[in-house]
Amino acid sequence: MADTTPRCTWCSDDPLYMHYHDHEWGVPSYDAGHLFEMLLLEGFQAGLSWLTILRRREGFRKALASFDPHTLAATTPEWVEQQMQNPAIIRNRLKLQGVGKNARAWLALENPVELVWSVVDGKPKVHHYAQPAEIPTAGPEAQALSKLLKHRGFTFVGPTICQAYLQAIGALMDHTTDCFRHAMLDTSRLE
């Protein structure tokens, strides 16, 4: 029997994608480790589908030391070359070089969680979009975060990537109103 649960239209019927949509996407996260993981994964996703990234997430976890910024800050050109041979991940030289750069930039932040969430004043910004076409590809919060991160030395943090990132970590709650997750994550009803 087909699953007829109403979901955001971007979510396909792939079980991995549905699980991500139903349990992770849009859920507010204040966990520094998770926020760093998602920042790296969103950077790798640029130009690709998110499902491609989800299918390689475990490969990324192994290749990227479970997204430990301390370990990744010490990556070398030799490490990049080694990962360029790893079929379990996205083999893009610039993105792999960006891993070490982003890890060092992350570690240099006094409070990375606070910085990320500062663009929404520390709490989820709940939208009530009826159609996906209403959702900006790079709203003001994403533009602000992109500027903050670039200023601090991050790479692969353009406004479109930051928009997807803020949605993924629940800072922007952009499940459409016809999606079953919208009502579950709509914290504006509690205010």
Side-chain angles (χ1 to χ4, degrees):
M1 178 182 280
D3 184 338
T4 58
T5 305
R7 291 181 175 85
C8 296
T9 58
W10 57 261
C11 183
S12 72
D13 61 356
D14 182 285
L16 186 62
Y17 219 10
M18 289 192 298
H19 186 270
Y20 173 74
H21 171 274
D22 295 358
H23 300 282
E24 187 174 353
W25 193 77
V27 176
S29 174
Y30 296 87
D31 176 81
H34 181 251
L35 294 180
F36 182 64
E37 173 183 354
M38 295 308 292
L39 187 66
L40 291 184
L41 291 177
E42 289 292 350
F44 274 99
Q45 185 270 332
L48 303 168
S49 76
W50 186 246
L51 186 54
T52 298
I53 299 302
L54 286 178
R55 288 180 176 153
R56 288 175 171 79
R57 195 173 193 179
E58 286 308 311
F60 275 116
R61 281 195 177 121
K62 289 177 185 168
L64 304 182
S66 297
F67 301 98
D68 175 49
H70 297 281
T71 301
L72 297 175
T75 58
T76 63
E78 293 77 24
W79 176 86
V80 171
E81 291 307 316
Q82 180 183 26
Q83 295 311 316
M84 285 296 293
Q85 307 306 313
N86 185 348
I89 64 169
I90 304 301
R91 295 175 283 185
N92 178 298
R93 189 175 311 282
L94 290 176
K95 291 176 181 180
L96 286 165
Q97 290 168 342
V99 166
K101 185 175 183 179
N102 285 348
R104 290 185 290 277
W106 185 266
L107 293 173
L109 296 175
E110 185 175 325
N111 187 334
V113 176
E114 186 176 286
L115 177 82
V116 167
W117 279 87
S118 70
V119 298
V120 290
D121 296 325
K123 63 181 182 176
K125 185 169 187 177
V126 178
H127 292 120
H128 298 276
Y129 299 122
Q131 301 294 324
E134 297 173 33
I135 304 171
T137 56
E141 299 85 4
Q143 292 175 32
L145 182 60
S146 176
K147 187 174 180 181
L148 284 171
L149 294 176
K150 285 179 181 179
H151 179 71
R152 285 162 176 81
F154 286 84
T155 188
F156 288 98
V157 289
T160 303
I161 290 172
C162 285
Q163 179 80 17
Y165 175 65
L166 290 170
Q167 292 168 323
I169 65 165
L172 297 178
M173 203 292 284
D174 284 351
H175 285 278
T176 49
T177 53
D178 60 342
C179 174
F180 84 102
R181 291 292 286 160
H182 188 278
M184 295 174 146
L185 296 170
D186 184 359
T187 57
S188 67
R189 297 175 302 131
L190 306 173
E191 296 174 358

